[in-house]
Amino acid sequence: MICQRPLFPISPLFDEPRRGALPRTLRWTLLGLVSLGQLATLAWYLYTLPLLGKPFPSPLSALAESGIYLMGMMLLKAVQQLNFLPYTYSLLMVGLGFSLEASLIDVLDEVLAMPFWLSTAGASWLRMLGLFLLALGLLRLARQLRGQMNRLHELATLDELTGLSNRRHLQTLAQRWLQPGGRGLTLVMFDIDYFKQVNDRFGHSVGDRTLQDVARLVGAGLPPGAVLGRLGGEEFAILLPGRDADWGRQVAEARRLALAAGTTAAGSVTASFGVASQGPGETAFDALLHRADEALYDAKSAGRNCVCVVEPLSLRSC
Ligand SMILES: Nc1nc2c(ncn2[C@@H]2O[C@H](COP(=O)(O)OP(=O)(O)OP(=O)(O)O)[C@@H](O)[C@H]2O)c(=O)[nH]1
């Protein structure tokens, strides 16, 4: 199969590296042309201006012009990294427009006697068109970057299967609330009962859909401010910022009943719940998670489909 590279790719910017690179020879030719333009400017300053009796520009303005030339080169290099050829072309048009206006206008006007529309106006139009294309391109780039950032944020914080917060995101949020002066936190952890049997009986894909249904059923009636996430496997957690263990027990009980009454891809399923709230001086999420896990273990031992709470002083009740 012959794979031809399109001349003007309109696909996303970052998918295929180096797509927008100008061919090497063209790049060097352009660079040479722009450098020649700069040399012509220098020659103009040194020889032609005095001949025409025009004032010699100050060394400062010559320096600034070289600076602009250098910035232009850097911008061209940066734009080339964006892998999108039209940016490079539009930037070259801007550069050419500036070059014409800054250095060659007098030559075109006075030495070659070109008409105004071709020299001054032509340079301005070229520059404006280039800037317009560049602005359009940058707007498009900004939109794509925003999309990519959102996607990256989703990948970093969401669980792919259920769309809930993933473990890392839960940890980040919890850690913020557990800090001294934070809102305080109660953690509800739950684990689907006999989930292995679901996989064994109906297959892994039904198991996956069951996990999604559990997320939907438990998530549907959570109080405002609560965050539901998946810790991994068939284990989930609910963060209740600024709430105590008793509130956690009530939330867990309500969600347990809602889950047991609902229907999933595997029919009716239940879950066991463990609740722990932040103890005095407790700032580590792992410690809180460990205590909620102990409560969950108690709930499994007590026969499953129930809620157990471990109080900050390690008193346990189911
Ligand atoms: N379909 C599916 N199954 C998963 C996923 N992650 C973990 N599991 C399965 O979840 C099951 C967990 O089984 P166990 O840890 O034995 O627990 P259980 O069968 O739920 O029993 P109890 O927790 O004691 O009630 C295992 O069979 C895993 O393969 C997943 O993302 N999708």
Side-chain angles (χ1 to χ4, degrees):
M1 190 178 70
I2 299 171
C3 192
Q4 198 175 354
R5 178 195 283 210
L7 187 62
F8 284 98
I10 49 167
S11 58
L13 296 173
F14 305 110
D15 287 357
E16 290 176 45
R18 306 301 305 157
R19 220 178 172 183
L22 289 176
R24 201 175 226 285
T25 31
L26 182 57
R27 203 161 60 225
W28 282 109
T29 312
L30 286 169
L31 198 71
L33 279 178
V34 180
S35 301
L36 267 179
Q38 288 297 307
L39 281 177
T41 314
L42 200 65
W44 176 253
Y45 283 162
L46 292 178
Y47 297 109
T48 327
L49 281 184
L51 276 183
L52 292 173
K54 291 201 168 183
F56 192 81
S58 74
L60 263 183
S61 74
L63 199 68
E65 220 171 275
S66 304
I68 290 176
Y69 167 70
L70 209 68
M71 300 298 162
M73 286 296 122
M74 282 164 68
L75 201 56
L76 189 62
K77 188 81 200 147
V79 162
Q80 275 202 301
Q81 305 293 321
L82 298 178
N83 303 331
F84 195 57
L85 208 53
Y87 291 120
T88 317
Y89 285 134
S90 57
L91 199 65
L92 282 173
M93 285 170 85
V94 178
L96 207 62
F98 269 117
S99 256
L100 272 177
E101 188 136 272
S103 52
L104 297 176
I105 288 297
D106 286 339
V107 182
L108 299 177
D109 278 349
E110 296 176 25
V111 181
L112 299 178
M114 269 196 178
F116 175 81
W117 65 267
L118 208 71
S119 55
T120 311
S124 299
W125 278 104
L126 191 67
R127 202 177 50 189
M128 196 191 71
L129 189 66
L131 278 174
F132 175 69
L133 290 179
L134 191 65
L136 274 189
L138 288 180
L139 278 178
R140 182 175 183 270
L141 174 70
R143 235 187 345 251
Q144 286 190 350
L145 273 181
R146 202 178 48 214
Q148 305 258 355
M149 296 286 280
N150 289 344
R151 181 79 191 110
L152 274 182
H153 186 256
E154 271 175 19
L155 285 175
T157 58
L158 297 186
D159 170 56
E160 213 174 333
L161 181 68
T162 58
L164 300 177
S165 291
N166 63 17
R167 188 186 188 103
R168 189 191 303 127
H169 191 224
L170 288 175
Q171 181 153 13
T172 308
L173 291 174
Q175 212 62 69
R176 191 186 307 158
W177 290 321
L178 286 168
Q179 289 316 299
R183 298 174 65 188
L185 183 66
T186 287
L187 174 66
V188 176
M189 210 173 146
F190 65 95
D191 180 294
I192 304 171
D193 298 328
Y194 304 116
F195 188 63
K196 187 173 178 314
Q197 291 179 14
V198 171
N199 276 334
D200 291 348
R201 248 178 94 194
F202 303 107
H204 206 266
S205 67
V206 172
D208 279 356
R209 278 194 282 127
T210 305
L211 288 170
Q212 292 168 333
D213 290 336
V214 168
R216 177 178 49 80
L217 287 168
V218 175
L222 285 175
V227 180
L228 172 63
R230 183 177 173 214
L231 290 169
E234 82 291 21
E235 229 172 50
F236 295 80
I238 305 168
L239 304 182
L240 298 168
R243 302 294 189 175
D244 61 12
D246 196 43
W247 177 273
R249 182 201 292 275
Q250 288 176 41
V251 170
E253 189 57 28
R255 300 332 303 150
R256 180 187 73 77
L257 290 172
L259 176 62
T263 307
T264 70
S268 176
V269 298
T270 61
S272 305
F273 289 71
V275 181
S277 64
Q278 181 178 16
E282 189 173 60
T283 54
F285 178 61
D286 283 349
L288 186 63
L289 197 65
H290 180 69
R291 288 193 300 113
D293 198 26
E294 284 179 347
L296 175 57
Y297 182 79
D298 287 352
K300 291 277 183 191
S301 306
R304 295 176 175 78
N305 189 21
C306 62
V307 177
C308 285
V309 182
V310 54
E311 302 288 346
L313 296 175
S314 282
L315 297 171
R316 298 189 193 179
S317 59
C318 287

